Amino acid sequence: MNGGAEMSRPINRTALVTGSSRGIGRAIAERLGREGVLVAVHYARNEEAAEHTVKSIIADGGRAFQVRAEFGVPGDVDTLLEGLRAGLEELAEDVGLDILVNNAAIITSGTALEGTTPELFDRLMAVNARAPFFLTQRALPLLRDGGRIINISSGLTRFANPQEVAYAMSKAALEMIGLHFARYLGPRRITVNTVSPGITDTGHPSLLVPQIREALSNLAAFGRLAEPADIADVVAFLASDDARWITGSVIDASGGTMLGG
């Protein structure tokens, strides 16, 4: 870790990070790679970005491979798990998983509440809630006892933005996966936790507008936007042995957003 005592480093461990070709997911994959974890970099369509993530991890001394599967379509989880198994068979000591990070998601991008169609609602739920539910369920035979499941939610489950109500609902469902799976998997010493970021600088064009950036930065207690690495460090802690006594929790990683001032 940066400063202080070094994190308990996993040995010969494996991880699947969904949606890790860019943004927060990429930062998580790179962080776990630096901890010695063999990382499966999942992507939906942008193969070039996924390759860049894999190369970045390898250049930093880690190990990684990419796996493609588009969520929200028939057979999505089957496709992902087939690719995961193939990569583990080639690069790992055995086909087992230690860390699952459910990060992949889509957002409505400011769709007016009145403009949220049934089709858009169903798409959000399919990608943000249904896919991680069934991926987690289907990955349990691969997940080793003492493993880690970490879900990436959103601060929008705790403060209101009516334009993103359907997105927030899908993330609230993801938090329920964390709560209930934590109780179910306790006997196997598998922890299940959720990380809830606030506004994070993942390169969205609107954040290039100085007035918007300043206004959003001032919502956090620290007066700045989160960087993807800020979230990745929290995930890395939850993936470590140091977090073995934390499960079923939602960790606020919003930098004190909406605490008031």
Side-chain angles (χ1 to χ4, degrees), residues 160-257:
N161 179 357
Q163 291 182 327
E164 304 294 354
V165 60
Y167 170 78
M169 290 173 67
S170 70
K171 287 298 189 178
L174 183 65
E175 293 182 7
M176 291 301 98
I177 294 173
L179 178 66
H180 294 277
F181 273 77
R183 185 69 181 90
Y184 180 69
L185 294 173
R188 292 181 56 189
R189 296 179 292 103
I190 297 172
T191 67
V192 189
N193 292 292
T194 300
V195 176
S196 183
I199 301 165
T200 306
D201 189 356
T202 56
H204 194 280
S206 66
L207 297 179
L208 298 176
V209 181
Q211 296 88 339
I212 294 177
R213 188 178 187 89
E214 181 179 5
L216 295 177
S217 296
N218 288 334
L219 294 176
F222 302 122
R224 69 171 177 86
L225 301 178
E227 296 293 334
D230 295 321
I231 313 305
D233 286 348
V234 178
V235 172
F237 165 70
L238 291 172
S240 76
D241 188 58
D242 295 338
R244 62 192 175 276
W245 203 242
I246 303 173
T247 196
S249 294
V250 178
I251 309 298
D252 185 306
S254 70
T257 296

Side-chain angles (χ1 to χ4, degrees), residues 40-118:
V41 174
H42 162 257
Y43 71 102
R45 298 180 181 178
N46 194 336
E47 183 177 7
E48 182 178 356
E51 288 178 352
H52 191 71
T53 302
V54 169
K55 289 178 180 177
S56 173
I57 293 170
I58 293 173
D60 210 18
R63 298 182 301 150
F65 62 94
Q66 64 198 57
V67 55
R68 182 187 182 279
E70 183 175 352
F71 285 162
V73 300
D76 50 2
V77 171
D78 290 334
T79 300
L80 177 51
L81 290 177
E82 287 170 7
L84 175 65
R85 287 191 181 95
L88 293 176
E89 286 174 355
E90 179 180 355
L91 298 173
E93 294 183 349
D94 56 62
V95 181
L97 189 64
D98 297 289
I99 303 163
L100 169 61
V101 182
N102 288 309
N103 167 76
I106 57 172
I107 193 167
T108 51
S109 300
T111 301
L113 193 153
E114 294 84 356
T116 301
T117 64

Side-chain angles (χ1 to χ4, degrees), residues 32 37 43 49 62 76 130 159 173 215 241:
L32 293 176
V37 180
Y43 71 102
D76 50 2
R130 184 182 186 277
F159 51 84
D241 188 58

